[in-house]
Amino acid sequence: MATDIVAQLADSLAKTGVEDGELSYKGQGRKLDDAQSVEEIVKDIQDFEGLQALRLEGNTVGVAAAQAIAKALETKSEFKRCYWSDMFTGRLRSEIPPALNSLGDALMLAGAKLTVLDLSDNAFGPDGVKGIERLLKSNACYTLQELRLNNCGMGIGGGKILAAALTDCHKKSSADGAPLSLKVFVAGRNRLENDGATALAQAFQLMGSLEEVHMPQNGINHPGVTALATAMQHNPNLRILNLNDNTFTEKGATAMAQALKHLRSIQVINFGDCLVRPAGATAIAKTVSEGLPILKELNLSFGEITEEAALAVAQAVKDKDQLEKLDLNGNCLGEDGCKALKDALEGINKAELLGSLSDDEGEPEDDDEDDDEEEDDDDEEVDEEEVEEEEEEEEEEESSNKLSTPVSAPRPPDVSSFLSFPSPDKLLKLGAKRALLIEQQVDVTDAAKTAEAFLKIASVYKEENNDVKNAVLDSIDALLKKAFSTPSFQGYSFVSSLLVLLGLLKSEDKVKPVLVVPGHLQALEHVVRQDYFPKESVAVLEAFMSRNNKALDSCYNARNNLQSTLQRVRSES
């Protein structure tokens, strides 16, 4: 009896939520396919007087179920907050727009005034943005303060649709005497690229009300970064700017440094893994030293910053009394540079604020700066380089046809060449920075691409060759550590893609499996023992490895070893 009472109490608490007016089904893993499956939810909504928020995260909602929920919401005029992230898992992409349209139309009919709309982790692509376009343009969103669309796969097209909808909403709400004043915008891992970012920048500039902008891992280069920098200048209340893992280069970093001069309320700057380079870091340091009085966090990690620029950053934070964290890890300081940086911060009593420097890349080679300047060019200049490379290849072919003329030495392979046609020799020739180069080349926002890259690297694994073995494992560790350390990375999607590519799981997309070699399983055996690999995925892998499957017949010993390791890891966790 006591157990039943506790269960009822837990269920009641789960529904009631912790905020006033909130009804929550968060993380319950319900499969809601039709009206019958949501009868309980519909009744709870209907009976909830003054409903202000509905949490549906971690469930999967079909079209008919969404329509039934929407019908119940049509009378909830006090409704304000939609927590609807991760609620379409396993659904066809074509199901998502009609489901979203139904819910949005209901909120408009109810006369709701939204403050929060969270649809993160739904992977709905541009079509999903169309599903909320009507809602975003309506007076239900004139009061919107937080828009969270992290990891939705919007792409350039979705970014443009979203920007146009926000612009339209601002125009209409301004005419109504209460301009849209969005405060929080989250859209990481959406492949927005330059065009999508530029379109959104125009909307941001128009609103001028943003306090937090999170757009990491969007494939944005310096044209898009520059557009965002211009927009940020018109948002003077901005407190947090997170553009981690985009590609600034010197041009983008310099433009952003200029924008920061206008942002005296800024508290958190995350430009980690943005390739700001020495000149960009120096420009940012100058802005920091001249302003930004309440700065709390500055992340310029993995930006190819050299010792001189890092010391300029250290000097810039001298008088930042509210600074809590400085991250300069993964740059090119070298052993002496790391020591000099620590000594410089010690001298201004800020050594405890410096994060780890364990991933420092060492001092750059002499040619690095020249190479950096070349890489900082526009796409047109990149095209010119490609033309020049093609001409060089043609010249080499001509010279090889002339017996009297010696053939020039072939250029070392690049990462794309290795990933296209993997070989142990190509991997080794990538040099000591191979792990970083591969990590930068692979789009870890895409779980399927990450799994594909893992298998290509693992395919050249040689147990008997320590150089190749270590190169493979180091590269894999760097790639997967980066992927799994990203909060929104979908580990289950990675494992699913891996099983599909290994021929152990059928895919609706008709993905062609790879030819499994022992190296694939040997590398995987290493991965499952690492701290970055989620322990909840071990049982899944163990289940599939224990099945009889012809795809693994040629790897009998490697398969047995992997199974033993999976069992041991699971028993230890």
Side-chain angles (χ1 to χ4, degrees), residues 207-227:
M207 290 186 290
S209 55
L210 289 167
E211 296 180 8
E212 294 184 26
V213 173
H214 303 264
M215 297 175 67
Q217 294 186 341
N218 269 297
I220 307 170
N221 298 324
H222 73 77
V225 172
T226 301

Side-chain angles (χ1 to χ4, degrees), residues 382-398:
V382 173
D383 292 338
E384 290 174 5
E385 290 176 5
E386 292 174 353
V387 171
E388 289 172 2
E389 288 176 2
E390 290 172 1
E391 290 174 352
E392 289 173 7
E393 289 172 358
E394 290 172 2
E395 289 172 3
E396 287 176 9
E397 289 174 0
E398 290 174 3

Side-chain angles (χ1 to χ4, degrees), residues 342-370:
K342 291 176 182 177
D343 289 345
L345 289 167
E346 185 75 42
I348 58 174
N349 296 317
K350 287 192 173 358
E352 74 280 2
L353 306 183
L354 180 65
S356 169
L357 297 176
S358 60
D359 293 319
D360 187 77
E361 293 295 324
E363 295 183 42
E365 298 177 5
D366 292 339
D367 294 331
D368 278 2
E369 291 186 13
D370 294 336

Side-chain angles (χ1 to χ4, degrees), residues 277-278 281 303-311 331-333 363-364 369:
R277 296 189 174 139
E304 294 189 359
I305 299 171
T306 54
E307 177 184 349
E308 183 179 0
L311 291 175
N331 284 300
C332 304
L333 309 184
E363 295 183 42
E369 291 186 13

Side-chain angles (χ1 to χ4, degrees), residues 4 21 32 46 57 59 138 196 267 340 374 376 473 490 492 517:
D4 293 339
L32 308 172
Q46 290 171 338
E57 311 105 306
N59 299 286
S138 74
Q267 296 178 20
E374 292 298 326
D376 194 26
L473 297 184
Q490 296 180 337
Y492 65 89
V517 297

